[in-house]
Amino acid sequence: MSAEIPLIVYEEAGSTQDRARDLALAGEAGPIAIMARRQTSGRGRMGRAWITRPGLDLALSILLRPAIEPPKAGLTGMAASIAVTLALDQLGVTGVGVKWPNDVLARGKKIAGILSEARISGSTIDYLIIGIGLNVNSVRDDYPQELQETTTSIKAALGIETDLEWAATLILREIATLNRRIDLEGPAFIPALWEAYWPHKGLRLSREGITGTAERIDSDGSLILIDDSGRTTRVTCGEVEPEADPAVSNACG
Ligand code: BTN
């Protein structure tokens, strides 16, 4: 049994990422988690805003100081997506899987997004903050129209409400277990474990006009695509979509 990660719950925060960063800068060793019942300036990957519906969705950030090499920092975000997948499984949500680099899907729709922010000092990670936005009790009409077809929640999957703190607790237990394993043996196990929850493995994916078969996840978390002429493309950032649904973005961040 791994030590639990303490959870601080705020009524309101601009971004839980910033609250966690403030703790890091004040010398907090971590791991420690921040949750906000109301998040007013949430941010997502690639400079996007992230909307957390108060009382309906979970906004959670975890401050870590992992002893791993900076080029492999992305693996901790992938570990977090595995943790969310396992927690959702425990809650009874079916058809859960991961989408590269670290989204979580339920029946093909996005149920959680993960944002990793790190401060690197030379060859070490000073601190790493993993932000998790999970749709818990929101339903279709709560989302902007353009996201209604591609977004889901625990309530949409189960038909019942889930306590936000309970969802956070389950996720934090899974993260603690994975962290302990990372501390003991390093992060090399993460790509293979992540692939076990990856429904797109072996499918054709597109990114910025490049289409290829999703071959594997490399040791640093990169996505390896093989195009039709057998060429290998390494994708290190951005978004990839199944070929039939090429809503491709070309920004990284
Ligand atoms: C994504 O773009 O898919 C990642 C979204 C991450 C959102 C979470 S909510 C908790 C934490 N605080 C933030 O401001 N962002 C992350």
Side-chain angles (χ1 to χ4, degrees):
M1 188 71 178
S2 305
E4 299 234 332
I5 298 176
L7 173 65
I8 303 174
V9 182
Y10 288 100
E11 280 311 310
E12 182 169 318
S15 163
T16 53
Q17 294 293 97
D18 295 340
R19 293 290 184 118
R21 186 197 55 211
D22 291 346
L23 286 180
L25 295 177
E28 167 65 49
I32 190 164
I34 304 291
M35 171 183 155
R37 295 192 197 283
R38 175 185 293 271
Q39 179 172 252
T40 53
S41 316
R43 54 183 180 268
R45 293 178 58 237
M46 301 187 298
R48 293 182 292 225
W50 181 266
I51 308 293
T52 305
R53 288 143 287 257
L56 300 181
D57 299 328
L58 177 64
L60 181 69
S61 294
I62 304 113
L63 165 64
L64 302 169
R65 297 191 191 263
I68 63 178
E69 303 154 26
K72 299 202 168 168
L75 293 174
T76 53
M78 296 181 110
S81 61
I82 297 168
V84 173
T85 299
L86 294 172
L88 290 172
D89 190 53
Q90 285 167 45
L91 288 167
V93 180
T94 57
V96 184
V98 290
K99 178 184 173 211
W100 192 88
N102 49 28
D103 280 352
V104 182
L105 308 177
R107 298 185 178 218
K109 297 183 175 188
K110 182 161 172 168
I111 193 166
I114 290 167
L115 172 70
S116 300
E117 296 177 320
R119 189 171 82 176
I120 311 290
S121 302
S123 59
T124 56
I125 297 174
D126 184 7
Y127 64 77
L128 180 72
I129 298 169
I130 305 282
I132 299 173
L134 171 64
N135 300 333
V136 179
N137 296 317
S138 50
V139 291
R140 188 185 163 92
D141 284 352
D142 295 318
Y143 310 129
Q145 203 165 10
E146 66 275 16
L147 296 181
Q148 289 182 354
E149 293 304 319
T150 55
T151 305
T152 192
S153 69
I154 298 177
K155 185 170 179 188
L158 299 181
I160 54 168
E161 305 223 328
T162 300
D163 182 72
L164 294 176
E165 265 184 71
W166 177 234
T169 300
L170 292 179
I171 292 168
L172 292 174
R173 281 186 193 160
E174 296 300 333
I175 289 180
T177 302
L178 287 166
N179 278 351
R180 173 141 179 77
R181 192 166 166 198
I182 292 170
D183 286 348
L184 288 172
E185 59 182 274
F189 70 92
I190 293 171
L193 183 60
W194 195 88
E195 282 190 16
Y197 300 99
W198 185 32
H200 296 156
K201 183 176 169 77
L203 299 187
R204 288 173 63 77
L205 302 180
S206 295
R207 178 179 184 272
E208 285 178 47
I210 299 167
T211 298
T213 302
E215 171 82 1
R216 65 187 167 82
I217 301 301
D218 208 359
S219 58
D220 63 352
S222 307
L223 167 64
I224 306 297
L225 296 179
I226 310 287
D227 75 12
D228 291 338
S229 55
R231 260 194 314 266
T232 297
T233 300
R234 170 183 295 273
V235 185
T236 58
C237 66
E239 301 275 357
V240 288
E241 301 294 336
E243 189 181 19
D245 182 18
V248 178
S249 161
N250 57 14
C252 294

